[in-house]
Amino acid sequence: MTTGTAKPKPDGKPSPVPRSRTFRLAQRTWWLPWMLGAAAVAVAVVITTEVFTPDQPAGWDQVRLPTAEHQVVYTVTGSGKSPEIKYVVDGVNGTETVVNGDLPWRKEFTLKVGPGLGVVQVLAANNESAGSIACTVSVDGNVVHQATSRGPGTQVSCSSVIRPSSR
């Protein structure tokens, strides 16, 4: 039976006390309970944060992204008929097409832009017997782009970018 004291060796030094397997395991893994405790605390913090945090940041319902309505006028001038007039109607990429449109041609509409930029654009083709074709884009009464193309069978394009708060 061991009493926890070492018996002296023949050289006069005490022999080390034999350690149990459990004691040696505890010495090697002393950090494990601390690691498990830290993980439990981290999980508790995450759960508490998720439960008690609102879905939207404070004041989110008061945020207003900029939008604006603009009066847009497309005009295409020339003689005779244009085989095709294509124009943007929604400020992004929605287009409408007029086939064999009588010239001069005009389209007026209200365009809501925001929170991103809006695009206004008109493209037109000239017929084979006309001398020239021209287009104009006006936003809120201001001409933002105009162009002319000379010669039969040519094309013309007018476009601009509108900011939501450009009024």
Side-chain angles (χ1 to χ4, degrees):
M1 174 170 11
T2 57
T3 61
T5 58
K7 295 181 186 177
K9 289 185 183 177
D11 60 358
K13 294 183 183 174
S15 63
V17 177
R19 308 287 178 161
S20 69
R21 185 180 289 190
T22 306
F23 183 77
R24 284 180 287 167
L25 180 64
Q27 274 188 318
R28 285 187 303 216
T29 60
W30 63 269
W31 53 269
L32 188 59
W34 290 100
M35 183 68 78
L36 292 174
V41 168
V43 168
V45 167
V46 169
I47 289 173
T48 303
T49 303
E50 287 296 319
V51 168
F52 294 110
T53 302
D55 291 336
Q56 295 177 347
W60 186 253
D61 58 339
Q62 298 169 351
V63 173
R64 300 287 179 244
L65 298 175
T67 60
E69 287 189 352
H70 298 279
Q71 296 300 316
V72 177
V73 179
Y74 296 138
T75 57
V76 177
T77 57
S79 60
K81 293 185 175 279
S82 172
E84 181 178 79
I85 301 170
K86 190 175 276 195
Y87 56 97
V88 174
V89 292
D90 64 355
V92 185
N93 61 0
T95 61
E96 290 186 6
T97 303
V98 176
V99 178
N100 289 324
D102 290 324
L103 297 180
W105 175 86
R106 179 181 175 98
K107 175 71 176 179
E108 285 186 52
F109 63 99
T110 300
L111 177 66
K112 184 174 182 179
V113 178
L117 299 174
V119 174
V120 289
Q121 183 175 35
V122 61
L123 299 102
N126 202 2
N127 63 41
E128 293 298 326
S129 62
S132 66
I133 190 166
C135 64
T136 304
V137 174
S138 298
V139 178
D140 298 328
N142 299 315
V143 174
V144 293
H145 192 204
Q146 59 186 5
T148 302
S149 181
R150 300 190 195 304
T154 59
Q155 297 177 349
V156 68
S157 172
C158 294
S159 62
S160 185
V161 175
I162 305 173
R163 296 178 189 269
S165 59
S166 63
R167 268 196 178 194

